[in-house]
Every structure is written in C-alpha cells, then in structure tokens.
Amino acid sequence: MSEEFSFNTKVVHASLGIDEATGALNTPLHLSSTFHQPDFDNYHEFDYARSGNPTRQAVEDAIAKLENGTHGFAFATGMAAISAALLTLSQEDHFIISGDVYGGTFRLTEQILPRFGITHTFVDMGDLDAVAAAFQENTKLVYVETPSNPLMRVTDIAAVARLAKEHDCYTFVDNTFLTPALQRPLDLGADLVVHSATKFIGGHSDILAGLVVTNNEELAKQVYFMQNSTGGVLGVQDCWLLLRGLKTLAVRMNVGTDSARKLAEFLQADDRVKEVFYPGLASHPDYDIQQKQADSAGAVLSFDLGSEEAARQFVNHAKLPVFSVSLGAVESILSYPARMSHAAIPEGERLKLGITPGLLRFSAGLEDIADVIADFEQALAYTVERSAR
Ligand SMILES: *Cc1c(COP(=O)(O)O)cnc(C)c1O
C-alpha cells in the first residue's frame, strides 16, 4: 500500500492475504512447525516455525506497513516483545525510561535486566531537562510510553527522539494506547515501536500478543536474533486472530476515541467527579503535545471520584462496563488501578504517582456512548449518597 492512501484504507488491505492459487481473501492458517525443502541444495524461505511461519509473516508484514516501518515481529505477549526489544542491550549498557511505565516493563527494568548488568534511570519524560540530564556515557536508548497509564501523561516523542539522537541513542516507544491508527512514532523520529497487541490491535479480549516494529536494519537484525533465540513467538492461530482484529482497528479506534472524548466531557462537567485525566481535554496539561503528535487522544481515560468508598459504590452500580484489568476491547472496561494494574506499587509510592484511592480507569468500547453516559449518571448518584453520610 502506498503512502497516498489514508490509514483507514491501508489497515484493511494490509491485513488481507489474498491467495494467488485459490483467490481466498484471508491468510491461511499454516499450522506447521516445519517445512519440506525442495531438494538437497535448495531451501525454501521457511524451515522451522520458530524462525518463521507464513501466517506469522503476514501479521509481521502488516504491522510493519501500518507503523511505516520496514520490519515487524510478532510475539506471544506484549512483555515478550518488550523483553526482546530491551534485550538488544548488553552488559554495562544503560537506558533511560519513563518513570510511569507499564508495571510489567517496570518489573523487567528493575528486577531482571540489572541481573545482566543493564542499568537504567527512571525520569519524568515530560521534563526534557531531566531527560537531557539523565544521559550517561554508556546510555544506549530512551524508552518512552505515551500516553502513560493511568494518568495519561504525554511525552513529546519528537523532542525526546531528537535528544536521543544527539547522544547517539535509540528511541523506543510503547504505542499500545494509541496504535498506529492514531500515532506513528517512527514518523516522529523513534527507531522502534512495541505493542501489547493484547489490547487495541487484537481488540476482542481473546488473545495475548506482542509486536515490535522498526525501520532500522541493525535493530531489526538484533530483534530477529532475540526472537528466534529466546523463542517467544506468537502462535499461528493467534496470528490469524490478530490479523482479523487488525481489519477493524481504525473503526474501533475512531469510535472508542469519540466515545472517550464525550465521556470525558460529561465527567468533567459533573461536580461529583474530582478530576478527569484525558489528553483530549483542552484542560489536560499535555493537550498541545497530544494534538501535535497524534491524530487524537485515544479511547482510555481515568477519573478520580475522591475516595475509595465512592469508587466502590460506582463500580458496584455501573452496569455496562466489565470490571477487569486490561483495556482496548469491543466491550468497555472499567478498572481500579490501586488494586489491579498498580497493586504491586507500595501505597506511598502510588499516592506520589497520583494513583489515588478514588481513581478509576475506563477504556471505551463500542457500546453507544449515550447508554454508557446514562449508566455512569445513575452510578454516580450512589457515590454522593455514600460520601454525604
Ligand atoms: C498490557 C500492556 C503491556 C504488556 O502486554 P501483555 O500483552 O500483557 O504482555 C505493555 N505495555 C502496555 C502499555 C500495556 O498496556
């Protein structure tokens, strides 16, 4: 697909796999771990499925196209993808990383990589002076997650990538929350993108998957080496489901974004809600950067109801969203960061990060947003009665 097509068009065609022999529209499920070779001297492109499988290749090619990269890699989970990307580092290397990264990435950074002599500095990526000050002689890359979770802080990808280049470092971006439908970090100067495709790209809460995309030949070689060597590849059936999810990515992101914005405006106008965190609101401190670097602010927002009891009453009375961890699905998902995604962080630390006892996160699905707002309206009534007692 060439550049002149819009993302909405590209995403449909990148995920088709028209079979030349039969005309079948969809990439076949090549449930084969090994491949017969033509003869003693001639070998096919594929030999053993950890090294490559045609169904996986289809999803890897599709995501590479959509992120405007040259090489894509599919992994069993987002964490397998992030691990492979960060394991391009070696002993005595250092990297700079967002202080509010995803919990699994935090654990990998804090508890696993240091055992192999790979060190890090956590920084507030919104503070470019702090980022600039964090470079050391052995710094090799800067790892950004934007918007971050659950407070939806935004990092200026182009500015950080510029700083990184000045220091001869790579920039890696976790693009899980916006997907290439809304934000394309490689176009902004990043060198590598990672995804938990478990979330929006898969989009149906049915599979775990991770993706890496780069436009850098050297990084591509290293990530492929790591994928093939450590073996966390995405299974063939899940590759097929991911291709299927990908076809509707643009419409899902557009509907989710539109709903999240309407809900954020509704919540912001309501006195019972203490604060709303959504980078698509003009009142959000990072609104301008978000507008500049992404097509929209995405389908996830957080809001603070002021107390644990108010959050409890709200969750117990909201009827439409499922109450669970994760995000990025056809169904709306409500989650409670203090006891779910961020439970492992000690309470004091959590409060410092702004993860208060009244904070809830919401990932907009495809329900009619008017129904969700009506549901929120009735659930909010319980939060007031309780706190008034
Ligand atoms: C969920 C998530 C991950 C981890 O992905 P898994 O597929 O659960 O391994 C990484 N980054 C972000 C931003 C996530 O939301």
Side-chain angles (χ1 to χ4, degrees):
M1 274 290 114
S2 58
E3 295 306 308
E4 71 255 32
F5 293 107
S6 78
F7 187 87
N8 291 7
T9 305
K10 272 169 64 170
V11 74
V12 171
H13 289 267
S15 49
L16 282 179
I18 300 176
D19 179 37
E20 278 172 27
T22 64
L25 291 195
N26 294 301
T27 305
L29 273 164
H30 290 284
L31 284 163
S32 196
S33 57
T34 188
F35 298 82
H36 174 63
Q37 306 306 327
D39 59 46
F40 187 83
D41 293 302
N42 293 294
Y43 284 39
H44 280 308
E45 177 187 355
F46 298 104
D47 54 14
Y48 184 64
R50 171 159 36 72
S51 312
N53 173 290
T55 310
R56 194 171 88 226
Q57 187 70 51
V59 81
E60 291 178 330
D61 288 348
I63 192 63
K65 271 182 209 153
L66 298 174
E67 285 283 8
N68 294 334
T70 49
H71 299 78
F73 304 93
F75 291 86
T77 64
M79 283 322 303
I82 293 167
S83 300
L86 287 176
L87 284 171
T88 59
L89 294 168
S90 299
Q91 193 172 11
E92 293 179 10
D93 286 348
H94 168 263
F95 68 109
I96 300 168
I97 178 162
S98 308
D100 50 359
V101 276
Y102 175 75
T105 311
F106 183 86
R107 194 161 50 206
L108 172 69
T109 298
E110 278 271 292
Q111 295 183 34
I112 299 175
L113 296 178
R115 285 170 35 210
F116 302 94
I118 300 164
T119 57
H120 60 270
T121 304
F122 284 113
V123 298
D124 172 357
M125 284 284 168
D127 180 351
L128 291 174
D129 293 335
V131 180
F135 285 92
Q136 303 177 5
E137 211 140 283
N138 58 341
T139 306
K140 294 288 157 61
L141 67 89
V142 183
Y143 185 101
V144 171
E145 185 181 316
T146 182
S148 70
N149 170 36
L151 295 180
M152 310 303 292
R153 297 281 315 277
V154 178
T155 297
D156 187 334
I157 297 171
V160 168
R162 232 177 289 123
L163 273 178
K165 282 220 167 67
E166 280 170 28
H167 290 84
D168 240 349
C169 292
Y170 290 130
T171 303
F172 289 8
V173 176
D174 184 332
N175 201 26
T176 298
F177 270 51
L178 293 182
T179 82
L182 304 180
Q183 173 172 276
R184 289 160 297 278
L186 298 182
D187 292 355
L188 297 166
D191 302 287
L192 181 144
V193 171
V194 296
H195 283 284
S196 170
T198 307
K199 316 293 167 51
F200 289 102
I201 295 182
H204 294 72
S205 302
D206 49 7
I207 58 164
L208 296 169
L211 297 167
V212 172
V213 181
T214 181
N215 53 11
N216 177 297
E217 222 29 70
E218 183 51 36
L219 278 174
K221 255 189 236 150
Q222 291 183 41
V223 171
Y224 178 71
F225 179 75
M226 207 39 76
Q227 182 190 39
N228 190 36
S229 302
T230 60
V233 296
L234 188 61
V236 169
Q237 309 213 33
D238 289 349
C239 286
W240 195 92
L241 284 167
L242 198 53
L243 280 170
R244 181 170 170 142
L246 204 51
K247 290 179 208 291
T248 55
L249 177 66
V251 276
R252 288 186 288 104
M253 290 312 288
N254 292 337
V255 171
T257 294
D258 200 44
S259 295
R261 188 180 39 76
K262 286 181 179 146
L263 188 68
E265 283 164 3
F266 161 78
L267 291 170
Q268 196 175 39
D270 195 302
D271 292 345
R272 295 165 291 192
V273 180
K274 212 174 126 199
E275 200 165 353
V276 182
F277 303 90
Y278 183 62
L281 290 174
S283 56
H284 190 285
D286 304 325
Y287 176 77
D288 291 337
I289 305 168
Q290 184 64 24
Q291 290 285 104
K292 186 183 72 176
Q293 72 182 5
D295 298 345
S296 73
V300 183
L301 59 90
S302 293
F303 55 102
D304 191 347
L305 292 176
S307 71
E308 180 179 321
E309 186 54 21
R312 176 178 296 111
Q313 292 303 322
F314 184 85
V315 168
N316 287 344
H317 289 94
K319 296 188 184 99
L320 275 181
V322 300
F323 181 53
S324 70
V325 295
S326 201
L327 55 112
V330 293
E331 64 281 353
S332 288
I333 300 176
L334 189 61
S335 60
Y336 186 53
R339 288 219 194 127
M340 289 176 167
S341 49
H342 295 70
I345 305 173
E347 194 185 350
E349 275 301 302
R350 245 188 353 246
L351 289 175
K352 256 191 259 163
L353 289 172
I355 302 159
T356 51
L359 190 75
L360 290 167
R361 188 183 73 196
F362 181 77
S363 165
L366 304 185
E367 299 92 342
D368 190 323
I369 193 59
D371 291 335
V372 175
I373 288 176
D375 185 35
F376 271 41
E377 179 75 60
Q378 65 80 25
L380 276 169
Y382 293 91
T383 67
V384 174
E385 279 164 26
R386 287 292 161 146
S387 21
R389 270 176 210 176

